[in-house]
Every structure is written in C-alpha cells, then in structure tokens.
Amino acid sequence: MDIRDVLVLLGRESGQVTEATLAEADAETFARIVEPHLPRLVHLAERLAGTAYRDDIVQEALLNAWTRRRSFDPRRGAASSWLLAIVANQARKSWRRRMTIQQPDVADPGRDEEDRLDIEDALRHLSPRQRLAVDCHYFVGLSVSETAAVMGCSEGTVKSTLSDARLKLRPRLEVRP
C-alpha cells in the first residue's frame, strides 16, 4: 500500500475545501486538504530517512495527522507546516527505532579526499536539529518562516541553526587543491 492508497482509504473525492476546515474534516475533506501537500511530505521524509523508509513515514504521519486533526489551528500556521512537522517528528521516531535495532555506520578514517565531497556524508555530521533545518529549507524549499513552523521555533532560531549548519558543512564540502 502506498501513500495514495491511504488517501483512497480515507475516501478522497474531487472538490475544493479550505485548510480552516481541517480540524473538523471528515475523511473525504481531510484527504482533499492533504493531497496537494503530498509531494513536499514525501520529499521531506525521503530527505530525513531515505527512500526505503519515506512511504512508511508519510503513511504513519498521515494517520497521526488524521487522528490529531482537531489539534490543527489555522491561526498558528498553514496546514502544510503542520503536516511537515508531523512528518519530521515521524522521521525522528523511525530513525530512533532503527538505531535501537542496528548500529550506526562508523566513518572510515582512511577515506580519500574525493569521499569528503559527498554531500550526504557531510549532512550526516550535522546535529538532528541542523539536519532538519537544512533539509526543510534547502532541499524541500520551505521559507524560513515555514521551516520555523515545522521545527516549532522562531525564525531567528532557524536562521541561527542554518548558519551553524553551514559553518559545520563548509570544511567538509570545500574543494582543496
């Protein structure tokens, strides 16, 4: 079962609805509100957890969103930010579960300089908070304010976190003669 199947199970139909109706939505309305946000949800899940886990993370996040839909308040932000925050939280939970089962990869100290230019490797050295900020802002394309809503913090905190992440990434991504 993939993400679209979940929406079908929720009873998706065509028609226009507003995000303000999300908290009181029935299954059909909920599916219509969520569907336009699916590409960003999938992209964030893939950035945070990899292709192998993205569909499971988005499905779990959608089920969580459905059961917690009454907690959505449009005055606090857009539905997309609320949904992305749930996906980010689900990705963290998934990562923790996997880490209890398997040991993380240990970096090979004998790597050559070419390996140091691997962006994914460089991103692995960021803290989880920095990684979330980088993934949301640079890879998913969220604005600073949208990233702040996903992370549950202020815009200033996002800017500071992104700055710290860039400082940490710079030496790993520099091309040296």
Side-chain angles (χ1 to χ4, degrees):
M1 178 183 300
D2 71 5
I3 297 158
R4 302 245 182 237
D5 293 334
V6 172
L7 291 177
V8 169
L9 289 174
L10 291 174
R12 177 176 49 89
E13 287 184 3
S14 63
Q16 295 295 322
V17 293
T18 64
E19 291 182 353
T21 61
L22 180 63
E24 300 301 322
D26 61 12
E28 294 172 14
T29 305
F30 178 82
R32 282 185 277 162
I33 292 170
V34 168
E35 188 168 23
H37 305 292
L38 276 177
R40 286 176 115 179
L41 301 177
V42 170
H43 192 70
L44 180 60
E46 186 170 346
R47 289 293 317 145
L48 295 175
T51 304
Y53 302 103
R54 74 169 184 217
D55 290 342
D56 291 339
I57 288 169
V58 173
Q59 286 177 22
E60 297 258 341
L62 287 175
L63 290 175
N64 288 339
W66 167 252
T67 59
R68 296 184 0 204
R69 69 190 180 282
R70 286 179 177 64
S71 70
F72 173 71
D73 182 356
R75 294 171 295 179
R76 293 178 52 207
S80 62
S81 299
W82 182 72
L83 291 165
L84 287 164
I86 294 171
V87 167
N89 189 42
Q90 191 62 44
R92 280 191 295 272
K93 288 178 185 176
S94 174
W95 181 82
R96 280 190 220 115
R97 278 195 303 265
R98 287 193 316 271
M99 287 302 107
T100 59
I101 296 170
Q102 56 184 242
Q103 294 296 317
D105 293 338
V106 177
D108 177 12
R111 295 183 307 192
D112 60 27
E113 287 298 312
E114 288 179 7
D115 289 340
R116 294 191 54 145
L117 296 178
D118 181 19
I119 293 173
E120 290 301 322
D121 181 60
L123 291 172
R124 276 190 220 89
H125 290 86
L126 296 177
S127 70
R129 186 171 185 83
Q130 290 171 334
R131 175 78 188 259
L132 178 59
V134 167
D135 285 337
C136 286
H137 187 67
Y138 293 112
F139 290 98
V140 178
L142 301 182
S143 67
V144 170
S145 62
E146 290 172 321
T147 301
V150 169
M151 293 177 65
C153 63
S154 71
E155 290 181 28
T157 301
V158 170
K159 290 176 184 177
S160 174
T161 302
L162 288 170
S163 176
D164 292 345
R166 286 189 299 268
L167 286 173
K168 196 168 184 179
L169 288 171
R170 189 169 292 130
R172 294 186 174 282
L173 297 176
E174 284 180 340
V175 177
R176 296 179 208 141

